Amino acid sequence: MVSTTLMKLVAPCWKPSVEGENSNNRGGDVSGRLDGLLWYKDSGHHVNGDFSMAVIQANNLLEDHSQLESGPLSSLESGPHGTFVGIYDGHGGPEASRFLNEHLFNNFKKFTSENQGMSADVITKAFLATEEEFLSLVKKQWIIKPLLASVGSCCLVGVVCSGLLYIANAGDSRVVLGRLEKTVKQVKAVQLSIEHNASIESVREELRSLHPDDPQIVVLKHKVWRVKGLIQVSRSIGDAYLKRQEFNKEPLLAKFRLSEPFHKPILKAEPTILVQKLYPEDQFLIFASDGLWEQLTSQEAVDIVQNYPRNGIARKLVKAALHEAAKKREMRYSDLKKIDRGVRRHFHDDITVVVLFLDSHLVSRSCWHGPLLSVKGGGGVPAST
């Protein structure tokens, strides 16, 4: 089933299956389990219901990072309680996504405290403050580590608080709502996030309107639309080389340097934000990096969540995506699982999935007396030196 050329490529990296659901797992379930290239936390409880998380590594260094925080959303005793989900899909390296995982929620809590409550403005301020902190890090390390200027991350955040849902997105990760349509007795997929990828015509139009004097702002390169011929996303955290001219020069590698200077940021860090009330028909949310959506449609993902047990459902979605990735390359799923990180990236991207179930009797409550919950997704497998 696998071509001879493909077998030559992957043969040196072939090894026994590492992701089998019945294999010996390392690590406790409190912080999730690590099974080869797969990290997962099959089930847990957040303020508003149950959740499930899973991450599969494809890159040599895991570039996807994620977190789920549930409980107080500010440092004030009287502040709001709820659940915060962050999906950080890095590119060019793991530094920006890791930085988001370490700093974004703290900034979010700081601005929620200052504002004495949740709002779309609070989330935007947290995005921009974290962006500034990362760009400051790039500046400090510019001489010793100029490549950090070419590292960035998509950033998708969801907050459930006092019966409201806040979705903020910069990049091309996606969150989908499973909503029960009572008339047809089916759970339908509703995409809530707006994606910022140059493959989308409206994104190219936005870029052209923001940069009317630059005919090369979006370029079709090898059948893929890219901003300045370099990157597919139009919004991100990091990517300093396309935000500030001071980082688009030597000692940065020539392949990242533009031939003409620019006087305003080419990429934006501001998220697109949606705020909406949650209703009893709203069953669950699927947050995922684009690695999942390259393999499954929104409705296919919703159907899987609706038709299988909650326990381990994020892992089930990852497995379904890997089956699709194997099918596209005319190989068996069991063979795909044997391919090690690095080479695995030729078959699929890092994939992060968080499924958040919304129990209607818990969604509207604004206080929480249970334990504080904090889970960081993706144990990851360190690259060998």
Side-chain angles (χ1 to χ4, degrees):
M1 291 176 74
V2 185
S3 70
T4 308
T5 307
L6 202 55
M7 283 299 294
K8 284 179 181 175
L9 171 70
V10 302
C13 308
W14 219 253
K15 65 177 189 177
S17 173
V18 293
E19 289 150 31
E21 292 184 11
N22 297 317
S23 59
N24 294 325
N25 297 315
R26 305 189 300 282
D29 195 50
V30 175
S31 57
R33 293 174 181 269
L34 193 57
D35 182 6
L37 299 180
L38 175 71
W39 174 93
Y40 60 93
K41 182 167 175 60
D42 277 345
S43 66
H45 304 289
H46 66 104
V47 171
N48 314 110
D50 300 327
F51 73 89
S52 180
M53 298 173 70
V55 180
I56 189 76
Q57 180 174 350
N59 285 290
N60 197 39
L61 285 171
L62 182 70
E63 294 184 342
D64 271 20
H65 286 271
S66 55
Q67 67 186 130
L68 188 150
E69 311 285 341
S70 202
L73 297 178
S74 78
S75 54
L76 304 174
E77 266 190 50
S78 59
H81 289 64
T83 299
F84 174 104
V85 174
I87 305 284
Y88 317 124
D89 180 0
H91 45 260
E95 292 88 349
S97 55
R98 191 186 298 138
F99 190 90
L100 281 162
N101 219 17
E102 293 168 357
H103 297 277
L104 181 62
F105 183 63
N106 288 336
N107 282 328
F108 170 81
K109 284 181 77 172
K110 182 182 83 171
F111 289 115
T112 305
S113 302
E114 288 178 8
N115 190 59
Q116 297 188 333
M118 256 303 297
S119 71
D121 191 47
V122 160
I123 301 175
T124 299
K125 283 180 177 176
F127 270 61
L128 297 181
T130 311
E131 161 90 343
E132 283 303 313
E133 289 169 1
F134 187 72
L135 295 188
S136 294
L137 182 65
V138 172
K139 190 167 188 172
K140 281 179 190 170
Q141 300 196 16
W142 175 241
I143 300 301
I144 58 168
K145 196 177 179 183
L147 202 60
L148 194 59
S150 65
V151 175
S153 181
C154 299
C155 184
L156 170 64
V157 164
V159 180
V160 180
C161 179
S162 302
L164 291 176
L165 172 65
Y166 300 80
I167 299 295
N169 194 38
D172 58 6
S173 296
R174 184 188 304 174
V175 56
V176 172
L177 170 69
R179 175 176 285 156
L180 177 63
E181 298 285 354
K182 289 183 177 176
T183 51
V184 290
K185 294 183 180 176
Q186 285 184 315
V187 177
K188 297 289 188 182
V190 182
Q191 182 174 328
L192 299 178
S193 51
I194 293 174
E195 293 165 26
H196 309 109
N197 188 303
S199 64
I200 302 167
E201 189 175 352
S202 61
V203 171
R204 297 197 297 274
E205 288 171 359
E206 180 187 48
L207 285 163
R208 289 176 184 132
S209 68
L210 290 169
H211 306 273
D213 301 323
D214 186 356
Q216 299 295 307
I217 190 62
V218 280
V219 178
L220 189 61
K221 198 173 181 181
H222 306 303
K223 298 182 181 179
V224 177
W225 285 101
R226 296 181 184 273
V227 182
K228 299 300 291 181
L230 293 169
I231 189 168
Q232 286 183 266
V233 293
S234 63
R235 301 193 190 199
S236 69
I237 302 297
D239 296 309
Y241 75 116
L242 294 175
K243 302 276 182 65
R244 296 181 184 172
Q245 179 60 42
E246 64 182 291
F247 301 123
N248 202 285
K249 59 184 182 182
E250 291 184 337
L252 187 67
L253 292 176
K255 66 177 181 177
F256 295 115
R257 301 201 302 265
L258 301 178
S259 55
E260 298 290 328
F262 58 93
H263 306 290
K264 66 177 181 178
I266 292 165
L267 303 186
K268 296 167 71 173
E270 289 90 346
T272 300
I273 297 186
L274 170 141
V275 183
Q276 68 181 43
K277 191 174 185 289
L278 286 168
Y279 294 94
E281 295 78 33
D282 299 333
Q283 306 289 291
F284 51 81
L285 296 160
I286 306 170
F287 296 85
S289 54
D290 71 328
L292 182 80
W293 309 115
E294 285 170 357
Q295 311 297 341
L296 301 177
T297 67
S298 296
Q299 190 60 52
E300 284 170 342
V302 163
D303 289 345
I304 289 169
V305 175
Q306 178 60 19
N307 293 318
Y308 289 91
R310 289 185 175 191
N311 188 50
I313 197 61
R315 188 155 47 121
K316 189 86 178 174
L317 283 167
V318 166
K319 186 176 179 181
L322 296 185
H323 271 283
E324 284 301 313
K327 193 191 297 182
K328 286 177 184 176
R329 301 300 285 267
E330 298 183 332
M331 64 191 299
R332 290 186 295 265
Y333 167 69
S334 57
D335 289 338
L336 174 64
K337 290 197 302 177
K338 296 169 188 172
I339 302 171
D340 205 354
R341 62 182 183 270
V343 174
R344 182 76 86 93
R345 183 62 183 88
H346 295 286
F347 300 83
H348 65 84
D349 199 354
D350 293 338
I351 301 172
T352 295
V353 180
V354 178
V355 181
L356 208 64
F357 290 96
L358 303 168
D359 293 345
S360 57
H361 67 289
L362 301 176
V363 163
S364 58
R365 69 179 178 187
S366 57
C367 61
W368 164 249
H369 302 294
L372 178 71
L373 176 72
S374 179
V375 183
K376 298 289 177 81
V381 181
S384 53
T385 54

